[in-house]
Amino acid sequence: MGKRILVAEDEASVRAGLLEALSDSGYEACGVETGEEALERLRTGAWSLCVLDVKLPGQSGFEVCKKLREESGIPVLFLTAFSEEANVVRGLELGGDDYVTKPFR
């Protein structure tokens, strides 16, 4: 089985673009739009990476990462429009492995 990536992004067009790019690159990618869906999927499957938006409906990406770190060491990449240094620091302190801001190329 190939690498599996979960993309938690509430913006449908961004999520679809990421899923297409990942799939085209040979990854098995799955998308969800809420923090709750992300946690449910992460708890019920073997994942290689989780791409998390910070501003998700329900539980934020920060909250998802915090809960995930209590249960798993899966790598977490924050992908978000929140570029303020305080948000970057918070994401990394909560256990995120990297923090990429939108828009990106």
Side-chain angles (χ1 to χ4, degrees), residues 36-68:
E36 290 80 4
E37 289 174 306
L39 281 172
E40 182 179 325
R41 288 289 183 103
L42 289 163
R43 289 174 174 152
T44 59
W47 300 95
S48 303
L49 173 69
C50 178
V51 178
L52 275 178
D53 187 7
V54 170
K55 190 177 178 186
L56 293 171
Q59 296 183 41
S60 74
F62 289 146
E63 292 169 316
V64 171
C65 185
K66 183 178 179 183
K67 289 180 181 178
L68 184 59

mmCIF file of all heavy atoms in Angstrom, residues 36-68:
data_model
loop_
_atom_site.group_PDB
_atom_site.id
_atom_site.type_symbol
_atom_site.label_atom_id
_atom_site.label_comp_id
_atom_site.label_asym_id
_atom_site.label_seq_id
_atom_site.Cartn_x
_atom_site.Cartn_y
_atom_site.Cartn_z
ATOM 1 N N GLU A 36 -13.740 17.301 13.489
ATOM 2 C CA GLU A 36 -14.273 16.041 14.003
ATOM 3 C C GLU A 36 -14.072 14.907 13.002
ATOM 4 O O GLU A 36 -13.690 13.799 13.372
ATOM 5 C CB GLU A 36 -15.768 16.174 14.338
ATOM 6 C CG GLU A 36 -16.055 17.040 15.534
ATOM 7 C CD GLU A 36 -16.030 18.549 15.237
ATOM 8 O OE1 GLU A 36 -15.867 18.959 14.063
ATOM 9 O OE2 GLU A 36 -16.163 19.321 16.202
ATOM 10 N N GLU A 37 -14.330 15.195 11.712
ATOM 11 C CA GLU A 37 -14.116 14.183 10.671
ATOM 12 C C GLU A 37 -12.639 13.794 10.606
ATOM 13 O O GLU A 37 -12.317 12.613 10.426
ATOM 14 C CB GLU A 37 -14.547 14.711 9.305
ATOM 15 C CG GLU A 37 -16.040 14.862 9.137
ATOM 16 C CD GLU A 37 -16.388 15.526 7.808
ATOM 17 O OE1 GLU A 37 -15.854 16.628 7.530
ATOM 18 O OE2 GLU A 37 -17.182 14.930 7.063
ATOM 19 N N ALA A 38 -11.770 14.772 10.752
ATOM 20 C CA ALA A 38 -10.333 14.485 10.719
ATOM 21 C C ALA A 38 -9.943 13.528 11.834
ATOM 22 O O ALA A 38 -9.274 12.515 11.588
ATOM 23 C CB ALA A 38 -9.530 15.780 10.812
ATOM 24 N N LEU A 39 -10.366 13.811 13.046
ATOM 25 C CA LEU A 39 -10.018 12.937 14.168
ATOM 26 C C LEU A 39 -10.582 11.540 13.979
ATOM 27 O O LEU A 39 -9.902 10.544 14.244
ATOM 28 C CB LEU A 39 -10.519 13.534 15.493
ATOM 29 C CG LEU A 39 -9.658 14.643 16.069
ATOM 30 C CD1 LEU A 39 -10.344 15.281 17.265
ATOM 31 C CD2 LEU A 39 -8.288 14.106 16.456
ATOM 32 N N GLU A 40 -11.816 11.441 13.507
ATOM 33 C CA GLU A 40 -12.435 10.134 13.287
ATOM 34 C C GLU A 40 -11.635 9.323 12.276
ATOM 35 O O GLU A 40 -11.317 8.158 12.497
ATOM 36 C CB GLU A 40 -13.874 10.305 12.807
ATOM 37 C CG GLU A 40 -14.598 8.994 12.605
ATOM 38 C CD GLU A 40 -16.030 9.194 12.153
ATOM 39 O OE1 GLU A 40 -16.680 10.163 12.582
ATOM 40 O OE2 GLU A 40 -16.488 8.366 11.352
ATOM 41 N N ARG A 41 -11.291 9.940 11.155
ATOM 42 C CA ARG A 41 -10.523 9.240 10.114
ATOM 43 C C ARG A 41 -9.127 8.875 10.605
ATOM 44 O O ARG A 41 -8.623 7.784 10.331
ATOM 45 C CB ARG A 41 -10.398 10.096 8.860
ATOM 46 C CG ARG A 41 -11.646 10.230 8.067
ATOM 47 C CD ARG A 41 -11.970 8.885 7.364
ATOM 48 N NE ARG A 41 -13.130 9.010 6.537
ATOM 49 C CZ ARG A 41 -13.111 9.116 5.218
ATOM 50 N NH1 ARG A 41 -11.975 9.083 4.565
ATOM 51 N NH2 ARG A 41 -14.229 9.243 4.547
ATOM 52 N N LEU A 42 -8.488 9.796 11.313
ATOM 53 C CA LEU A 42 -7.133 9.539 11.799
ATOM 54 C C LEU A 42 -7.098 8.388 12.794
ATOM 55 O O LEU A 42 -6.116 7.657 12.871
ATOM 56 C CB LEU A 42 -6.542 10.802 12.419
ATOM 57 C CG LEU A 42 -6.202 11.897 11.412
ATOM 58 C CD1 LEU A 42 -6.020 13.232 12.115
ATOM 59 C CD2 LEU A 42 -4.958 11.528 10.606
ATOM 60 N N ARG A 43 -8.168 8.233 13.549
ATOM 61 C CA ARG A 43 -8.235 7.174 14.559
ATOM 62 C C ARG A 43 -8.589 5.813 13.957
ATOM 63 O O ARG A 43 -8.416 4.796 14.626
ATOM 64 C CB ARG A 43 -9.257 7.541 15.623
ATOM 65 C CG ARG A 43 -8.800 8.678 16.509
ATOM 66 C CD ARG A 43 -9.877 9.121 17.458
ATOM 67 N NE ARG A 43 -9.374 10.119 18.398
ATOM 68 C CZ ARG A 43 -10.138 11.039 18.962
ATOM 69 N NH1 ARG A 43 -11.433 11.101 18.713
ATOM 70 N NH2 ARG A 43 -9.599 11.915 19.795
ATOM 71 N N THR A 44 -9.099 5.800 12.736
ATOM 72 C CA THR A 44 -9.586 4.540 12.169
ATOM 73 C C THR A 44 -8.785 4.082 10.954
ATOM 74 O O THR A 44 -9.272 3.277 10.176
ATOM 75 C CB THR A 44 -11.070 4.656 11.782
ATOM 76 O OG1 THR A 44 -11.228 5.705 10.817
ATOM 77 C CG2 THR A 44 -11.941 4.924 12.989
ATOM 78 N N GLY A 45 -7.608 4.570 10.790
ATOM 79 C CA GLY A 45 -6.815 4.143 9.639
ATOM 80 C C GLY A 45 -5.339 4.414 9.836
ATOM 81 O O GLY A 45 -4.940 5.135 10.742
ATOM 82 N N ALA A 46 -4.548 3.809 8.970
ATOM 83 C CA ALA A 46 -3.104 4.026 8.987
ATOM 84 C C ALA A 46 -2.781 5.148 8.012
ATOM 85 O O ALA A 46 -3.026 5.029 6.815
ATOM 86 C CB ALA A 46 -2.384 2.745 8.586
ATOM 87 N N TRP A 47 -2.252 6.251 8.521
ATOM 88 C CA TRP A 47 -1.957 7.430 7.710
ATOM 89 C C TRP A 47 -0.483 7.753 7.785
ATOM 90 O O TRP A 47 0.152 7.586 8.819
ATOM 91 C CB TRP A 47 -2.781 8.626 8.200
ATOM 92 C CG TRP A 47 -4.250 8.370 8.104
ATOM 93 C CD1 TRP A 47 -5.066 7.906 9.102
ATOM 94 C CD2 TRP A 47 -5.072 8.520 6.948
ATOM 95 N NE1 TRP A 47 -6.344 7.766 8.622
ATOM 96 C CE2 TRP A 47 -6.382 8.130 7.311
ATOM 97 C CE3 TRP A 47 -4.825 8.940 5.640
ATOM 98 C CZ2 TRP A 47 -7.446 8.155 6.412
ATOM 99 C CZ3 TRP A 47 -5.886 8.964 4.747
ATOM 100 C CH2 TRP A 47 -7.176 8.576 5.130
ATOM 101 N N SER A 48 0.049 8.276 6.698
ATOM 102 C CA SER A 48 1.455 8.682 6.633
ATOM 103 C C SER A 48 1.642 10.148 6.986
ATOM 104 O O SER A 48 2.715 10.559 7.409
ATOM 105 C CB SER A 48 2.005 8.447 5.220
ATOM 106 O OG SER A 48 1.855 7.106 4.859
ATOM 107 N N LEU A 49 0.583 10.956 6.774
ATOM 108 C CA LEU A 49 0.654 12.402 6.986
ATOM 109 C C LEU A 49 -0.749 12.963 7.124
ATOM 110 O O LEU A 49 -1.680 12.468 6.480
ATOM 111 C CB LEU A 49 1.345 13.072 5.784
ATOM 112 C CG LEU A 49 1.380 14.597 5.734
ATOM 113 C CD1 LEU A 49 2.289 15.158 6.828
ATOM 114 C CD2 LEU A 49 1.841 15.079 4.359
ATOM 115 N N CYS A 50 -0.871 14.002 7.928
ATOM 116 C CA CYS A 50 -2.128 14.750 8.014
ATOM 117 C C CYS A 50 -1.830 16.204 7.667
ATOM 118 O O CYS A 50 -0.965 16.831 8.275
ATOM 119 C CB CYS A 50 -2.710 14.665 9.416
ATOM 120 S SG CYS A 50 -4.239 15.621 9.598
ATOM 121 N N VAL A 51 -2.545 16.725 6.670
ATOM 122 C CA VAL A 51 -2.463 18.136 6.298
ATOM 123 C C VAL A 51 -3.666 18.817 6.942
ATOM 124 O O VAL A 51 -4.807 18.458 6.652
ATOM 125 C CB VAL A 51 -2.485 18.319 4.767
ATOM 126 C CG1 VAL A 51 -2.442 19.795 4.413
ATOM 127 C CG2 VAL A 51 -1.329 17.572 4.116
ATOM 128 N N LEU A 52 -3.413 19.769 7.819
ATOM 129 C CA LEU A 52 -4.470 20.401 8.610
ATOM 130 C C LEU A 52 -4.577 21.893 8.334
ATOM 131 O O LEU A 52 -3.595 22.620 8.454
ATOM 132 C CB LEU A 52 -4.167 20.269 10.108
ATOM 133 C CG LEU A 52 -4.563 19.031 10.868
ATOM 134 C CD1 LEU A 52 -4.107 19.155 12.317
ATOM 135 C CD2 LEU A 52 -6.051 18.795 10.805
ATOM 136 N N ASP A 53 -5.778 22.335 8.013
ATOM 137 C CA ASP A 53 -6.069 23.763 8.009
ATOM 138 C C ASP A 53 -6.294 24.157 9.468
ATOM 139 O O ASP A 53 -6.775 23.345 10.268
ATOM 140 C CB ASP A 53 -7.326 24.034 7.171
ATOM 141 C CG ASP A 53 -7.622 25.508 6.969
ATOM 142 O OD1 ASP A 53 -6.791 26.355 7.360
ATOM 143 O OD2 ASP A 53 -8.685 25.810 6.423
ATOM 144 N N VAL A 54 -5.974 25.361 9.838
ATOM 145 C CA VAL A 54 -6.200 25.804 11.212
ATOM 146 C C VAL A 54 -7.674 26.105 11.438
ATOM 147 O O VAL A 54 -8.261 25.692 12.438
ATOM 148 C CB VAL A 54 -5.334 27.042 11.554
ATOM 149 C CG1 VAL A 54 -5.758 27.651 12.884
ATOM 150 C CG2 VAL A 54 -3.866 26.663 11.586
ATOM 151 N N LYS A 55 -8.292 26.786 10.488
ATOM 152 C CA LYS A 55 -9.674 27.221 10.667
ATOM 153 C C LYS A 55 -10.635 26.194 10.060
ATOM 154 O O LYS A 55 -11.075 26.318 8.930
ATOM 155 C CB LYS A 55 -9.888 28.591 10.015
ATOM 156 C CG LYS A 55 -11.216 29.204 10.360
ATOM 157 C CD LYS A 55 -11.354 30.582 9.767
ATOM 158 C CE LYS A 55 -12.728 31.149 10.094
ATOM 159 N NZ LYS A 55 -12.943 32.411 9.423
ATOM 160 N N LEU A 56 -10.933 25.171 10.851
ATOM 161 C CA LEU A 56 -11.873 24.140 10.451
ATOM 162 C C LEU A 56 -13.174 24.326 11.233
ATOM 163 O O LEU A 56 -13.141 24.763 12.381
ATOM 164 C CB LEU A 56 -11.316 22.747 10.757
ATOM 165 C CG LEU A 56 -10.101 22.299 9.975
ATOM 166 C CD1 LEU A 56 -9.545 21.001 10.563
ATOM 167 C CD2 LEU A 56 -10.457 22.106 8.507
ATOM 168 N N PRO A 57 -14.296 23.972 10.640
ATOM 169 C CA PRO A 57 -15.557 24.004 11.401
ATOM 170 C C PRO A 57 -15.483 23.018 12.566
ATOM 171 O O PRO A 57 -14.846 21.972 12.464
ATOM 172 C CB PRO A 57 -16.604 23.553 10.380
ATOM 173 C CG PRO A 57 -15.981 23.724 9.050
ATOM 174 C CD PRO A 57 -14.500 23.573 9.255
ATOM 175 N N GLY A 58 -16.129 23.355 13.647
ATOM 176 C CA GLY A 58 -16.094 22.484 14.829
ATOM 177 C C GLY A 58 -14.783 22.661 15.551
ATOM 178 O O GLY A 58 -14.458 23.743 16.019
ATOM 179 N N GLN A 59 -13.988 21.621 15.600
ATOM 180 C CA GLN A 59 -12.682 21.692 16.241
ATOM 181 C C GLN A 59 -11.665 22.265 15.271
ATOM 182 O O GLN A 59 -11.582 21.837 14.130
ATOM 183 C CB GLN A 59 -12.243 20.302 16.687
ATOM 184 C CG GLN A 59 -13.145 19.712 17.747
ATOM 185 C CD GLN A 59 -12.644 18.372 18.227
ATOM 186 O OE1 GLN A 59 -11.449 18.176 18.410
ATOM 187 N NE2 GLN A 59 -13.555 17.451 18.440
ATOM 188 N N SER A 60 -10.880 23.214 15.738
ATOM 189 C CA SER A 60 -9.860 23.831 14.880
ATOM 190 C C SER A 60 -8.732 22.844 14.611
ATOM 191 O O SER A 60 -8.591 21.821 15.299
ATOM 192 C CB SER A 60 -9.292 25.077 15.558
ATOM 193 O OG SER A 60 -8.430 24.704 16.626
ATOM 194 N N GLY A 61 -7.912 23.169 13.636
ATOM 195 C CA GLY A 61 -6.736 22.361 13.362
ATOM 196 C C GLY A 61 -5.808 22.291 14.565
ATOM 197 O O GLY A 61 -5.178 21.264 14.812
ATOM 198 N N PHE A 62 -5.723 23.374 15.327
ATOM 199 C CA PHE A 62 -4.907 23.365 16.542
ATOM 200 C C PHE A 62 -5.447 22.328 17.531
ATOM 201 O O PHE A 62 -4.684 21.565 18.124
ATOM 202 C CB PHE A 62 -4.879 24.743 17.199
ATOM 203 C CG PHE A 62 -4.080 25.780 16.453
ATOM 204 C CD1 PHE A 62 -4.494 27.101 16.465
ATOM 205 C CD2 PHE A 62 -2.921 25.468 15.773
ATOM 206 C CE1 PHE A 62 -3.765 28.083 15.808
ATOM 207 C CE2 PHE A 62 -2.177 26.429 15.109
ATOM 208 C CZ PHE A 62 -2.605 27.755 15.129
ATOM 209 N N GLU A 63 -6.768 22.308 17.712
ATOM 210 C CA GLU A 63 -7.379 21.352 18.638
ATOM 211 C C GLU A 63 -7.180 19.915 18.152
ATOM 212 O O GLU A 63 -6.890 19.015 18.947
ATOM 213 C CB GLU A 63 -8.876 21.645 18.796
ATOM 214 C CG GLU A 63 -9.157 22.952 19.505
ATOM 215 C CD GLU A 63 -10.609 23.378 19.424
ATOM 216 O OE1 GLU A 63 -11.212 23.279 18.327
ATOM 217 O OE2 GLU A 63 -11.138 23.807 20.462
ATOM 218 N N VAL A 64 -7.323 19.710 16.846
ATOM 219 C CA VAL A 64 -7.124 18.374 16.271
ATOM 220 C C VAL A 64 -5.693 17.919 16.512
ATOM 221 O O VAL A 64 -5.444 16.788 16.948
ATOM 222 C CB VAL A 64 -7.456 18.353 14.763
ATOM 223 C CG1 VAL A 64 -7.035 17.031 14.133
ATOM 224 C CG2 VAL A 64 -8.941 18.606 14.536
ATOM 225 N N CYS A 65 -4.727 18.782 16.255
ATOM 226 C CA CYS A 65 -3.328 18.436 16.441
ATOM 227 C C CYS A 65 -3.044 18.087 17.899
ATOM 228 O O CYS A 65 -2.366 17.093 18.187
ATOM 229 C CB CYS A 65 -2.429 19.582 15.979
ATOM 230 S SG CYS A 65 -0.661 19.196 16.042
ATOM 231 N N LYS A 66 -3.557 18.878 18.814
ATOM 232 C CA LYS A 66 -3.338 18.627 20.247
ATOM 233 C C LYS A 66 -3.870 17.248 20.637
ATOM 234 O O LYS A 66 -3.185 16.471 21.299
ATOM 235 C CB LYS A 66 -4.008 19.710 21.083
ATOM 236 C CG LYS A 66 -3.776 19.561 22.565
ATOM 237 C CD LYS A 66 -4.403 20.676 23.348
ATOM 238 C CE LYS A 66 -4.159 20.461 24.825
ATOM 239 N NZ LYS A 66 -4.811 21.471 25.645
ATOM 240 N N LYS A 67 -5.087 16.919 20.201
ATOM 241 C CA LYS A 67 -5.667 15.612 20.524
ATOM 242 C C LYS A 67 -4.914 14.491 19.826
ATOM 243 O O LYS A 67 -4.694 13.425 20.411
ATOM 244 C CB LYS A 67 -7.147 15.588 20.149
ATOM 245 C CG LYS A 67 -7.980 16.443 21.057
ATOM 246 C CD LYS A 67 -9.436 16.423 20.679
ATOM 247 C CE LYS A 67 -10.217 17.320 21.632
ATOM 248 N NZ LYS A 67 -11.630 17.380 21.305
ATOM 249 N N LEU A 68 -4.516 14.732 18.598
ATOM 250 C CA LEU A 68 -3.787 13.721 17.847
ATOM 251 C C LEU A 68 -2.462 13.399 18.517
ATOM 252 O O LEU A 68 -2.057 12.232 18.597
ATOM 253 C CB LEU A 68 -3.560 14.204 16.413
ATOM 254 C CG LEU A 68 -2.902 13.236 15.455
ATOM 255 C CD1 LEU A 68 -3.715 11.949 15.332
ATOM 256 C CD2 LEU A 68 -2.724 13.886 14.092
#
